[in-house]
């Protein structure tokens, strides 16, 4: 692939590309994914193509960095591609094997069961299901994914109704009102230091999912609407036509 060849050249000859690490590239991976999402939401097919190219660049860049390791943990872009091909075949036994499914729900159940087995899970036990959820994602999507995984494992829906167990915290971890946050949990199992706002937000995520909505996308839509309203207000203040 020409992109791999170009990346190899940049890694050797460009001072900036040569000094990058997985850690230094991490913010760009997240940024490019969000820019691709923005292009998708805006319906701009040309921009989407460009942004997906930027996402692909991040994949190739990380693979190039990994290929330089000499401790036995290295891999290259071919290893990445081979891994995802094998995973797709393994997790679609109804397409590449003799498993029968009656619809999309069966496909999802099979996927989850195969994934749990791959991770050494105990038949979909709750710790194994939630243990694979990445906490580095935005809070709304994190809450939705945790709830989704727990739901598939059979956890009762009322567990999403979190009790507020502490005051809202400021940036330094102290309570916003100057009081020390309550780190206790009445039943020994509840959340630690969850404010009323945090508990309400988590509950709203559950409500959105119950309504068949993605809370992250809903808030993004609200943010775009707010942006447009502020823009119209600014134009009115400047005497520009609405």
């Amino acid at each position: 692939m020409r992109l791999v060849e170009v990346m190899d050249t940049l890694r050797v000859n460009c001072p900036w590309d040569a000094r990058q690490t997985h850690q230094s590239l991490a913010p760009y991976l997240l940024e490019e994914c969000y820019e691709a999402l923005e292009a998708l939401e805006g319906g701009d097919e040309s921009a989407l193509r460009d942004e997906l190219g930027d996402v692909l660049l991040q994949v190739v860049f990380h693979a190039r960095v990994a290929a330089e390791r000499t401790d036995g943990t290295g891999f290259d872009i071919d290893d990445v591609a081979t891994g995802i091909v094998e995973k797709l075949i393994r997790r679609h036994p109804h397409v590449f094997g003799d498993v029968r499914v009656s619809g999309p729900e069966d496909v999802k159940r099979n996927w989850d069961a195969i994934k749990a087995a791959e991770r050494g899970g105990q038949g979909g036990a709750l710790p194994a299901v939630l243990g694979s959820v990445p906490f580095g994602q935005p809070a709304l999507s994190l809450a939705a994914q945790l709830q989704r995984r727990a739901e598939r494992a059979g956890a009762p829906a009322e567990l999403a109704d979190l009790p507020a167990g502490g005051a809202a915290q400021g940036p330094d971890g102290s309570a916003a009102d100057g009081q020390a946050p309550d780190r206790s949990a009445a039943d020994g199992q509840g959340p630690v230091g969850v404010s009323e706002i945090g508990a309400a937000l988590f509950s709203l995520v559950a409500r959105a999912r119950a309504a068949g909505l993605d809370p992250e996308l809903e808030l993004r839509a609200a943010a775009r609407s707010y942006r447009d309203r502020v823009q119209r207000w600014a134009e009115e203040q400047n005497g520009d036509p609405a």
Side-chain angles (χ1 to χ4, degrees):
M1 181 167 37
R2 178 62 173 158
L3 176 58
V4 175
E5 296 174 356
V6 170
M7 188 68 253
D8 288 341
T9 301
L10 291 174
R11 185 68 172 171
V12 173
N13 297 306
C14 174
W16 187 90
D17 290 285
R19 68 182 296 181
Q20 300 310 307
T21 65
H22 290 307
Q23 290 71 29
S24 68
L25 290 171
Y28 302 108
L29 179 60
L30 184 61
E31 177 181 320
E32 299 300 354
C33 287
Y34 269 109
E35 290 184 358
L37 178 58
E38 180 67 20
L40 187 154
E41 292 175 340
D44 190 332
E45 300 297 336
S46 177
L48 178 59
R49 180 198 63 196
D50 291 343
E51 298 300 343
L52 287 176
D54 290 339
V55 173
L56 179 58
L57 169 60
Q58 294 303 309
V59 175
V60 172
F61 206 154
H62 278 279
R64 179 63 175 81
V65 172
E68 299 171 5
R69 294 203 292 267
T70 59
D71 60 357
T73 65
F75 57 84
D76 60 20
I77 192 64
D78 289 334
D79 296 320
V80 173
T82 297
I84 190 61
V85 167
E86 292 176 349
K87 180 183 293 185
L88 288 173
I89 293 174
R90 189 169 60 249
R91 294 189 184 179
H92 289 82
H94 56 288
V95 176
F96 301 101
D98 55 6
V99 172
R100 291 182 174 274
V101 295
S102 60
E105 291 304 316
D106 279 353
V107 174
K108 288 175 61 177
R109 278 191 290 270
N110 287 342
W111 179 286
D112 290 338
I114 295 170
K115 184 174 182 178
E118 291 170 352
R119 295 179 180 275
Q122 304 298 317
L126 194 57
V129 172
L130 297 187
S132 63
V133 176
F135 269 67
Q137 59 185 304
L140 280 178
S141 58
L142 170 61
Q145 189 172 3
L146 285 171
Q147 292 177 10
R148 204 160 43 237
R149 296 284 183 88
E151 182 179 273
R152 292 178 189 174
E158 56 266 25
L159 289 181
D161 296 328
L162 300 181
Q169 296 181 28
D172 61 352
S174 61
D177 60 1
Q179 300 295 320
D182 181 1
R183 297 289 182 180
S184 63
D187 58 2
Q189 299 178 349
V192 178
V194 177
S195 70
E196 290 186 5
I197 291 177
L201 285 171
F202 199 84
S203 179
L204 279 175
V205 171
R207 285 178 54 189
R209 293 186 56 254
L213 302 172
D214 184 305
E216 187 83 11
L217 296 182
E218 291 303 307
L219 186 57
R220 286 176 62 84
R224 286 195 300 274
S225 177
Y226 178 72
R227 175 198 61 193
D228 294 342
R229 294 183 70 182
V230 171
Q231 180 62 33
R232 288 194 297 271
W233 170 83
E235 292 173 351
E236 292 172 357
Q237 297 301 305
N238 293 327
D240 295 335

